[in-house]
mmCIF file with all atom_site columns, all heavy atoms in Angstrom:
data_model
loop_
_atom_site.group_PDB
_atom_site.id
_atom_site.type_symbol
_atom_site.label_atom_id
_atom_site.label_alt_id
_atom_site.label_comp_id
_atom_site.label_asym_id
_atom_site.label_entity_id
_atom_site.label_seq_id
_atom_site.pdbx_PDB_ins_code
_atom_site.Cartn_x
_atom_site.Cartn_y
_atom_site.Cartn_z
_atom_site.occupancy
_atom_site.B_iso_or_equiv
_atom_site.pdbx_formal_charge
_atom_site.auth_seq_id
_atom_site.auth_comp_id
_atom_site.auth_asym_id
_atom_site.auth_atom_id
_atom_site.pdbx_PDB_model_num
ATOM 1  N N   . ASN V 1 131 ? -3.371  -13.500 5.030   1.00 0.00 ? 131 ASN V N   1
ATOM 2  C CA  . ASN V 1 131 ? -3.213  -13.557 3.629   1.00 0.00 ? 131 ASN V CA  1
ATOM 3  C C   . ASN V 1 131 ? -4.352  -13.930 2.753   1.00 0.00 ? 131 ASN V C   1
ATOM 4  O O   . ASN V 1 131 ? -4.436  -13.862 1.550   1.00 0.00 ? 131 ASN V O   1
ATOM 5  C CB  . ASN V 1 131 ? -2.065  -14.599 3.352   1.00 0.00 ? 131 ASN V CB  1
ATOM 6  C CG  . ASN V 1 131 ? -0.706  -14.096 3.770   1.00 0.00 ? 131 ASN V CG  1
ATOM 7  O OD1 . ASN V 1 131 ? -0.349  -12.857 3.582   1.00 0.00 ? 131 ASN V OD1 1
ATOM 8  N ND2 . ASN V 1 131 ? 0.151   -14.916 4.337   1.00 0.00 ? 131 ASN V ND2 1
ATOM 9  N N   . LYS V 1 132 ? -5.522  -14.312 3.407   1.00 0.00 ? 132 LYS V N   1
ATOM 10 C CA  . LYS V 1 132 ? -6.702  -14.630 2.527   1.00 0.00 ? 132 LYS V CA  1
ATOM 11 C C   . LYS V 1 132 ? -7.288  -13.408 1.904   1.00 0.00 ? 132 LYS V C   1
ATOM 12 O O   . LYS V 1 132 ? -7.387  -13.346 0.693   1.00 0.00 ? 132 LYS V O   1
ATOM 13 C CB  . LYS V 1 132 ? -7.825  -15.247 3.430   1.00 0.00 ? 132 LYS V CB  1
ATOM 14 C CG  . LYS V 1 132 ? -9.015  -15.736 2.543   1.00 0.00 ? 132 LYS V CG  1
ATOM 15 C CD  . LYS V 1 132 ? -10.028 -16.446 3.404   1.00 0.00 ? 132 LYS V CD  1
ATOM 16 C CE  . LYS V 1 132 ? -11.174 -16.873 2.462   1.00 0.00 ? 132 LYS V CE  1
ATOM 17 N NZ  . LYS V 1 132 ? -12.245 -17.517 3.316   1.00 0.00 ? 132 LYS V NZ  1
ATOM 18 N N   . VAL V 1 133 ? -7.402  -12.254 2.741   1.00 0.00 ? 133 VAL V N   1
ATOM 19 C CA  . VAL V 1 133 ? -7.904  -11.012 2.071   1.00 0.00 ? 133 VAL V CA  1
ATOM 20 C C   . VAL V 1 133 ? -6.718  -10.252 1.465   1.00 0.00 ? 133 VAL V C   1
ATOM 21 O O   . VAL V 1 133 ? -6.874  -9.622  0.401   1.00 0.00 ? 133 VAL V O   1
ATOM 22 C CB  . VAL V 1 133 ? -8.489  -10.216 3.188   1.00 0.00 ? 133 VAL V CB  1
ATOM 23 C CG1 . VAL V 1 133 ? -8.743  -8.700  2.706   1.00 0.00 ? 133 VAL V CG1 1
ATOM 24 C CG2 . VAL V 1 133 ? -9.853  -10.711 3.645   1.00 0.00 ? 133 VAL V CG2 1
ATOM 25 N N   . GLY V 1 134 ? -5.555  -10.446 2.015   1.00 0.00 ? 134 GLY V N   1
ATOM 26 C CA  . GLY V 1 134 ? -4.337  -9.870  1.460   1.00 0.00 ? 134 GLY V CA  1
ATOM 27 C C   . GLY V 1 134 ? -3.818  -10.505 0.144   1.00 0.00 ? 134 GLY V C   1
ATOM 28 O O   . GLY V 1 134 ? -4.274  -10.199 -0.961  1.00 0.00 ? 134 GLY V O   1
ATOM 29 N N   . LEU V 1 135 ? -2.949  -11.391 0.273   1.00 0.00 ? 135 LEU V N   1
ATOM 30 C CA  . LEU V 1 135 ? -2.270  -11.937 -0.929  1.00 0.00 ? 135 LEU V CA  1
ATOM 31 C C   . LEU V 1 135 ? -3.190  -12.643 -1.869  1.00 0.00 ? 135 LEU V C   1
ATOM 32 O O   . LEU V 1 135 ? -3.203  -12.360 -3.127  1.00 0.00 ? 135 LEU V O   1
ATOM 33 C CB  . LEU V 1 135 ? -1.121  -12.961 -0.402  1.00 0.00 ? 135 LEU V CB  1
ATOM 34 C CG  . LEU V 1 135 ? -0.398  -13.695 -1.490  1.00 0.00 ? 135 LEU V CG  1
ATOM 35 C CD1 . LEU V 1 135 ? 0.448   -12.716 -2.357  1.00 0.00 ? 135 LEU V CD1 1
ATOM 36 C CD2 . LEU V 1 135 ? 0.597   -14.697 -0.868  1.00 0.00 ? 135 LEU V CD2 1
ATOM 37 N N   . ARG V 1 136 ? -4.026  -13.481 -1.399  1.00 0.00 ? 136 ARG V N   1
ATOM 38 C CA  . ARG V 1 136 ? -5.006  -14.247 -2.317  1.00 0.00 ? 136 ARG V CA  1
ATOM 39 C C   . ARG V 1 136 ? -6.016  -13.312 -2.803  1.00 0.00 ? 136 ARG V C   1
ATOM 40 O O   . ARG V 1 136 ? -6.350  -13.270 -3.993  1.00 0.00 ? 136 ARG V O   1
ATOM 41 C CB  . ARG V 1 136 ? -5.690  -15.345 -1.402  1.00 0.00 ? 136 ARG V CB  1
ATOM 42 C CG  . ARG V 1 136 ? -6.598  -16.078 -2.276  1.00 0.00 ? 136 ARG V CG  1
ATOM 43 C CD  . ARG V 1 136 ? -7.384  -17.201 -1.510  1.00 0.00 ? 136 ARG V CD  1
ATOM 44 N NE  . ARG V 1 136 ? -8.216  -18.006 -2.453  1.00 0.00 ? 136 ARG V NE  1
ATOM 45 C CZ  . ARG V 1 136 ? -9.446  -17.658 -2.860  1.00 0.00 ? 136 ARG V CZ  1
ATOM 46 N NH1 . ARG V 1 136 ? -9.889  -16.444 -2.579  1.00 0.00 ? 136 ARG V NH1 1
ATOM 47 N NH2 . ARG V 1 136 ? -10.089 -18.361 -3.670  1.00 0.00 ? 136 ARG V NH2 1
ATOM 48 N N   . GLY V 1 137 ? -6.519  -12.385 -1.915  1.00 0.00 ? 137 GLY V N   1
ATOM 49 C CA  . GLY V 1 137 ? -7.573  -11.333 -2.474  1.00 0.00 ? 137 GLY V CA  1
ATOM 50 C C   . GLY V 1 137 ? -6.919  -10.531 -3.542  1.00 0.00 ? 137 GLY V C   1
ATOM 51 O O   . GLY V 1 137 ? -7.672  -10.138 -4.416  1.00 0.00 ? 137 GLY V O   1
ATOM 52 N N   . HIS V 1 138 ? -5.770  -10.099 -3.393  1.00 0.00 ? 138 HIS V N   1
ATOM 53 C CA  . HIS V 1 138 ? -5.156  -9.228  -4.439  1.00 0.00 ? 138 HIS V CA  1
ATOM 54 C C   . HIS V 1 138 ? -5.066  -10.026 -5.717  1.00 0.00 ? 138 HIS V C   1
ATOM 55 O O   . HIS V 1 138 ? -5.276  -9.408  -6.752  1.00 0.00 ? 138 HIS V O   1
ATOM 56 C CB  . HIS V 1 138 ? -3.730  -8.904  -4.013  1.00 0.00 ? 138 HIS V CB  1
ATOM 57 C CG  . HIS V 1 138 ? -3.576  -7.998  -2.803  1.00 0.00 ? 138 HIS V CG  1
ATOM 58 N ND1 . HIS V 1 138 ? -4.769  -7.452  -2.214  1.00 0.00 ? 138 HIS V ND1 1
ATOM 59 C CD2 . HIS V 1 138 ? -2.568  -7.411  -2.190  1.00 0.00 ? 138 HIS V CD2 1
ATOM 60 C CE1 . HIS V 1 138 ? -4.393  -6.644  -1.211  1.00 0.00 ? 138 HIS V CE1 1
ATOM 61 N NE2 . HIS V 1 138 ? -3.123  -6.682  -1.157  1.00 0.00 ? 138 HIS V NE2 1
ATOM 62 N N   . TYR V 1 139 ? -4.684  -11.327 -5.701  1.00 0.00 ? 139 TYR V N   1
ATOM 63 C CA  . TYR V 1 139 ? -4.549  -12.032 -6.942  1.00 0.00 ? 139 TYR V CA  1
ATOM 64 C C   . TYR V 1 139 ? -5.936  -12.211 -7.607  1.00 0.00 ? 139 TYR V C   1
ATOM 65 O O   . TYR V 1 139 ? -6.001  -11.977 -8.837  1.00 0.00 ? 139 TYR V O   1
ATOM 66 C CB  . TYR V 1 139 ? -3.986  -13.489 -6.642  1.00 0.00 ? 139 TYR V CB  1
ATOM 67 C CG  . TYR V 1 139 ? -3.858  -14.278 -7.917  1.00 0.00 ? 139 TYR V CG  1
ATOM 68 C CD1 . TYR V 1 139 ? -2.933  -14.177 -8.811  1.00 0.00 ? 139 TYR V CD1 1
ATOM 69 C CD2 . TYR V 1 139 ? -4.776  -15.294 -8.122  1.00 0.00 ? 139 TYR V CD2 1
ATOM 70 C CE1 . TYR V 1 139 ? -2.866  -14.899 -9.933  1.00 0.00 ? 139 TYR V CE1 1
ATOM 71 C CE2 . TYR V 1 139 ? -4.719  -16.140 -9.264  1.00 0.00 ? 139 TYR V CE2 1
ATOM 72 C CZ  . TYR V 1 139 ? -3.692  -15.928 -10.151 1.00 0.00 ? 139 TYR V CZ  1
ATOM 73 O OH  . TYR V 1 139 ? -3.731  -16.686 -11.313 1.00 0.00 ? 139 TYR V OH  1
ATOM 74 N N   . ILE V 1 140 ? -6.900  -12.474 -6.834  1.00 0.00 ? 140 ILE V N   1
ATOM 75 C CA  . ILE V 1 140 ? -8.288  -12.689 -7.382  1.00 0.00 ? 140 ILE V CA  1
ATOM 76 C C   . ILE V 1 140 ? -8.832  -11.345 -7.994  1.00 0.00 ? 140 ILE V C   1
ATOM 77 O O   . ILE V 1 140 ? -9.302  -11.331 -9.197  1.00 0.00 ? 140 ILE V O   1
ATOM 78 C CB  . ILE V 1 140 ? -9.310  -13.144 -6.351  1.00 0.00 ? 140 ILE V CB  1
ATOM 79 C CG1 . ILE V 1 140 ? -8.880  -14.529 -5.761  1.00 0.00 ? 140 ILE V CG1 1
ATOM 80 C CG2 . ILE V 1 140 ? -10.705 -13.284 -6.989  1.00 0.00 ? 140 ILE V CG2 1
ATOM 81 C CD1 . ILE V 1 140 ? -8.748  -15.699 -6.915  1.00 0.00 ? 140 ILE V CD1 1
ATOM 82 N N   . ALA V 1 141 ? -8.593  -10.303 -7.311  1.00 0.00 ? 141 ALA V N   1
ATOM 83 C CA  . ALA V 1 141 ? -8.875  -9.019  -7.900  1.00 0.00 ? 141 ALA V CA  1
ATOM 84 C C   . ALA V 1 141 ? -8.188  -8.703  -9.185  1.00 0.00 ? 141 ALA V C   1
ATOM 85 O O   . ALA V 1 141 ? -8.708  -8.114  -10.155 1.00 0.00 ? 141 ALA V O   1
ATOM 86 C CB  . ALA V 1 141 ? -8.755  -7.880  -6.863  1.00 0.00 ? 141 ALA V CB  1
#
Side-chain angles (χ1 to χ4, degrees):
N131 289 319
K132 184 176 183 181
V133 170
L135 179 63
R136 183 184 184 279
H138 292 359
Y139 178 76
I140 298 300

